[in-house]
Amino acid sequence: MTPTPHSEQMFGTYARWHRLQVTTRDIDPVYPVLRHVIRAAGLDRDQAVWLVVLHVAYYQLGSALAAWGAQPVPGGPRPGLLTLPTGTERRAHRDVRQFARHWAGLLGAFDRHGGPAGWLDAGGTDWRRLNEHVAQVEGNGRWAAYKTAELAQKVLDVPTVVADAGHAHSTGPRRGLALLYPRLPEGNRPVDIQVLDRYTRRLARRLGEADIGQVETSLCDLHSLTRGHYYLGHDIDAMQQQLTRVPSDLTAAAFAARAARLPAAYLGERGGWSGVDRERKRVYARQGIICTR
């Protein structure tokens, strides 16, 4: 499969985009923040795993911190916890009945393994096995399993290695990859996923990037960037918005973590802006410019 002149030009854009996302920590900025909060608050392993699991359940950091603060030990959800805001990735949990089933599934899994840490550790360190283990909980599909495994690695120090970009039944990373390599397969047969994985590994080598998980995220964000839905620092701004929308006893610790772990130039609380800038999202799509702070 030979890249077209357009895709070669796009690779130059993507290489710069990926590099900027890595250096600004715009790739999953919640990971270093959660890691900092867990250590600053002195959470034990069960508490830390429970917080990470809650974050995946809401994918809204303010809600996850508020839920953990209200219920630091797993149990039946206290009043109001199932109606806290969720991120778009967890919009299915805006249906309280569906969220309740997921919550019950988590509690059942914890009970079978002696607690949150025992449940996570039962998944082992092999990337694909860990994903399959997490996906056994009702409500944890491909995306939730992948995110939980990444958080386990980067926040909880589980010695797993991201093996692929989770292309099976995915959208964002596949569409980002298609901007660079034309005529990629669109199906979900094993042979299709093998081709997508091969090109993702090739791309990672060309970038000099050892972490396939970071390639997965920057490809997804590249697609959103070209569609006018993203900008450098978007998720850092979204996190600020989430923390402000749902305050809790851990909000101050989260803002302290942001100050300690993220570049000051990308912090709205330092620079005087609040939350996601809708106009900034459209700049690349309209002008072909990657805005930096």
Side-chain angles (χ1 to χ4, degrees):
M1 191 177 297
T2 304
T4 65
H6 169 74
S7 60
E8 275 297 303
Q9 181 181 8
M10 179 56 75
F11 175 80
T13 298
Y14 171 63
R16 179 168 182 258
W17 171 250
H18 180 83
R19 183 175 64 254
L20 284 169
Q21 282 208 290
V22 171
T23 57
T24 61
R25 297 199 168 181
D26 185 45
I27 292 182
D28 295 311
V30 73
Y31 293 0
V33 169
L34 273 172
R35 185 180 177 89
H36 190 97
V37 167
I38 286 168
R39 280 148 186 77
L43 305 192
D44 65 29
R45 186 163 171 78
D46 270 325
Q47 291 172 325
V49 174
W50 176 227
L51 175 56
V52 162
V53 166
L54 285 172
H55 176 63
V56 178
Y58 289 99
Y59 222 65
Q60 207 279 16
L61 183 58
S63 294
L65 294 176
W68 189 92
Q71 195 157 339
V73 176
R78 293 188 177 178
L81 294 188
L82 295 180
T83 56
L84 289 173
T86 68
T88 302
E89 297 85 350
R90 281 305 215 182
R91 56 189 174 275
H93 287 171
R94 294 168 190 172
D95 180 335
V96 173
R97 295 167 299 177
Q98 192 159 333
F99 198 176
R101 289 193 293 271
H102 174 61
W103 195 293
L106 289 168
L107 296 182
F110 297 163
D111 285 345
R112 289 190 295 275
H113 293 93
W119 166 74
L120 183 65
D121 291 343
T125 60
D126 177 79
W127 176 258
R128 293 189 174 92
R129 182 187 165 203
L130 179 56
N131 273 256
E132 291 169 0
H133 174 72
V134 174
Q136 290 173 12
V137 175
E138 181 171 357
N140 277 348
R142 180 205 67 84
W143 174 88
Y146 195 98
K147 279 297 170 188
T148 303
E150 261 199 326
L151 283 153
Q153 179 202 43
K154 295 180 179 178
V155 177
L156 302 171
D157 295 325
V158 172
T160 187
V161 177
V162 181
D164 55 61
H167 285 303
H169 302 282
S170 74
T171 52
R174 290 175 72 144
R175 289 170 181 170
L177 192 64
L179 292 170
L180 305 170
Y181 298 105
R183 299 180 297 279
L184 288 171
E186 297 181 358
N188 287 289
R189 299 172 301 167
V191 66
D192 297 327
I193 304 308
Q194 288 172 8
V195 171
L196 294 168
D197 285 342
R198 183 168 68 249
Y199 276 91
T200 304
R201 290 192 296 270
R202 177 183 297 182
L203 178 61
R205 288 194 298 269
R206 191 172 174 186
L207 288 170
E209 173 59 74
D211 187 345
I212 292 292
Q214 295 207 133
V215 174
E216 184 268 347
T217 302
S218 67
L219 281 173
C220 186
D221 293 344
L222 176 73
H223 173 253
S224 294
L225 178 76
T226 61
R227 301 276 293 175
H229 300 154
Y230 205 85
Y231 60 87
L232 194 67
H234 175 280
D235 285 359
I236 297 174
D237 289 348
M239 188 199 311
Q240 179 200 22
Q241 193 167 304
Q242 292 168 4
L243 292 170
T244 302
R245 182 180 181 190
V246 188
S248 71
D249 291 343
L250 289 174
T251 301
F255 275 110
R258 282 166 60 87
R261 302 301 301 273
L262 303 177
Y266 284 81
L267 299 178
E269 59 269 30
R270 292 282 188 90
W273 68 89
S274 180
V276 172
D277 185 332
R278 296 193 178 195
E279 286 304 312
R280 203 172 183 86
K281 289 198 289 188
R282 302 184 180 101
V283 171
Y284 181 84
R286 290 175 174 174
Q287 303 176 40
I289 297 171
I290 298 175
C291 294
T292 58
R293 296 286 187 186

